[in-house]
Amino acid sequence: LIARYCNLRPEYGKQIVLVTASGDKVQLSSMIYWNDEFVSCGNVEIIEYTGEDPVKMALVQHIVDTNNRQTGFFTQEQLQREYAYQMQYATEWLDIARKAKDDESFLITYHLSLDPRVSYQINIRKSFIITKQEEAANPIIKGISRYCNQIGAQYLSSSS
């Protein structure tokens, strides 16, 4: 990976932040331009990342809780099991949400584990999904900002 960045020139800036994501982690590292090449600074930070799981869970909870307010089928304990059951459909529902325009609603047809033969429908505003995605991304954005500020301060103090 680093070999790929060795051809960069200082026109890109004297310091570069690399963001690498894999699984449930985002790795931040930096390189500085020194002796006619970019070299690793060695300061690495790992930010835990939960991916789309919080968005999926929020969508599932919204659907199940809305249904439960209308029907009263589930106790608190049963709700947890229903959330787990509905998670198998969350990716499919997010795909439907992605196809909707930002200011539109999208229709989800679902069934409950109690009786899979009975279908229910719910309209969900796309803004609900966008808000949940922003909430999931905020720790990463704040982590990158904090990291950049930290290495910027280090770079300024070492070049003075």
Side-chain angles (χ1 to χ4, degrees):
L1 178 70
I2 299 243
R4 211 181 327 163
Y5 296 102
C6 290
N7 294 328
L8 293 176
R9 295 286 161 241
E11 292 82 29
Y12 294 102
K14 297 232 180 225
Q15 192 168 20
I16 296 174
V17 173
L18 303 173
V19 180
T20 310
S22 177
D24 61 352
K25 295 181 181 18
V26 174
Q27 178 178 305
L28 305 174
S29 58
S30 62
M31 302 176 80
I32 59 170
Y33 194 74
W34 184 65
N35 286 342
D36 295 325
E37 66 181 348
F38 279 97
V39 295
S40 176
C41 294
N43 47 347
V44 174
E45 183 172 327
I46 304 290
I47 301 171
E48 298 295 322
Y49 177 63
T50 54
E52 285 190 325
D53 285 350
V55 178
K56 290 177 183 178
M57 182 52 83
L59 178 57
V60 163
Q61 288 174 335
H62 178 70
I63 291 169
V64 172
D65 291 348
T66 299
N67 182 285
N68 201 47
R69 278 193 298 279
Q70 295 168 353
T71 64
F73 287 150
F74 299 110
T75 65
Q76 280 303 103
E77 184 179 308
Q78 292 169 325
L79 277 174
Q80 298 306 313
R81 286 196 300 268
E82 190 64 22
Y83 296 152
Y85 174 79
Q86 296 296 339
M87 281 298 286
Q88 66 183 311
Y89 304 108
T91 299
E92 176 185 330
W93 295 338
L94 278 183
D95 289 343
I96 293 169
R98 283 187 188 99
K99 293 174 186 168
K101 293 187 173 127
D102 286 353
D103 58 345
E104 290 183 345
S105 292
F106 56 95
L107 184 67
I108 297 293
T109 301
Y110 65 99
H111 64 274
L112 301 175
S113 63
L114 295 173
D115 189 355
R117 296 169 296 166
V118 178
S119 292
Y120 300 89
Q121 291 186 325
I122 185 171
N123 272 311
I124 300 173
R125 297 224 28 100
K126 174 84 176 258
S127 60
F128 174 82
I129 300 297
I130 292 169
T131 299
K132 296 304 175 184
Q133 289 170 328
E134 289 170 353
E135 289 171 6
N138 274 340
I140 300 298
I141 293 167
K142 287 178 182 176
I144 292 171
S145 178
R146 183 179 56 250
Y147 181 81
C148 290
N149 289 336
Q150 175 188 345
I151 64 165
Q154 287 174 354
Y155 178 71
L156 291 174
S157 65
S158 67
S159 62
S160 304

